[in-house]
């Protein structure tokens, strides 16, 4: 069974930072793309970032590039999302996700595997 275990969410003030982690089991980051979606109350789940060792791709949602950095430790089958300069608009449940390609990060219903969410709350 594939499992994606996310951690690292919490409450932070605007301008602060958080680092999310996702440990994958049942699949290898050598062959799967892995990354994050987020869902704010009343909004659709949206792709945040994805990294793929298989084809060397890293993608970010346009508004997040420069503030968020994704990285992977394939030996540990773990992906991290460093989030800096957080704003209240970043408040959401963040979900770890995995699929064959970062191209599938355009739509949540294209994603094969999901982890549980971790809550990120940014206070103003």
């Amino acid at each position: 069974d594939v499992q994606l275990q996310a951690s690292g969410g919490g409450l932070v003030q605007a301008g602060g930072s958080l680092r999310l982690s996702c440990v994958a089991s049942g699949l290898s980051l050598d062959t799967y793309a892995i990354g994050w979606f987020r869902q704010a109350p009343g909004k659709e789940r949206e792709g945040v970032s994805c990294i793929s060792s298989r084809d060397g791709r890293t993608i970010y949602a346009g508004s997040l590039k420069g503030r968020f950095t994704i990285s992977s430790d394939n030996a540990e089958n773990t992906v991290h999302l460093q989030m800096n300069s957080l704003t209240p608009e970043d408040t959401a449940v963040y979900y770890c996700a995995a699929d064959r390609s970062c191209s599938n990060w355009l739509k949540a219903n294209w994603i094969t595997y999901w982890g549980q969410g971790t809550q990120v709350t940014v206070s103003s």
Side-chain angles (χ1 to χ4, degrees):
D1 287 354
V2 173
Q3 291 189 356
L4 304 173
Q5 184 67 43
S7 62
L11 173 64
V12 64
Q13 288 188 332
S17 299
L18 282 174
R19 187 187 194 217
L20 305 184
S21 297
C22 176
V23 180
S25 60
L27 58 78
S28 170
L29 299 193
D30 291 336
T31 55
Y32 273 81
I34 190 166
W36 302 88
F37 279 73
R38 69 183 183 183
Q39 189 165 19
K43 295 189 176 180
E44 290 188 358
R45 194 171 295 189
E46 62 174 356
V48 172
S49 184
C50 172
I51 187 167
S52 172
S53 299
R54 184 174 61 85
D55 58 13
R57 290 184 69 189
T58 302
I59 65 168
Y60 297 92
S63 61
L64 304 177
K65 195 171 184 178
R67 296 194 298 122
F68 289 15
T69 303
I70 194 168
S71 61
S72 66
D73 181 343
N74 287 23
E76 297 293 331
N77 239 29
T78 300
V79 65
H80 303 287
L81 184 70
Q82 178 68 40
M83 306 185 295
N84 298 328
S85 302
L86 287 162
T87 74
E89 288 68 37
D90 295 314
T91 295
V93 178
Y94 284 69
Y95 295 91
C96 183
D99 206 277
R100 286 292 187 178
S101 171
C102 285
S103 298
N104 290 348
W105 252 250
L106 291 174
K107 287 189 178 291
N109 60 6
W110 292 353
I111 297 298
T112 303
Y113 299 111
W114 292 98
Q116 92 288 1
T118 184
Q119 176 71 47
V120 170
T121 303
V122 184
S123 63
S124 58

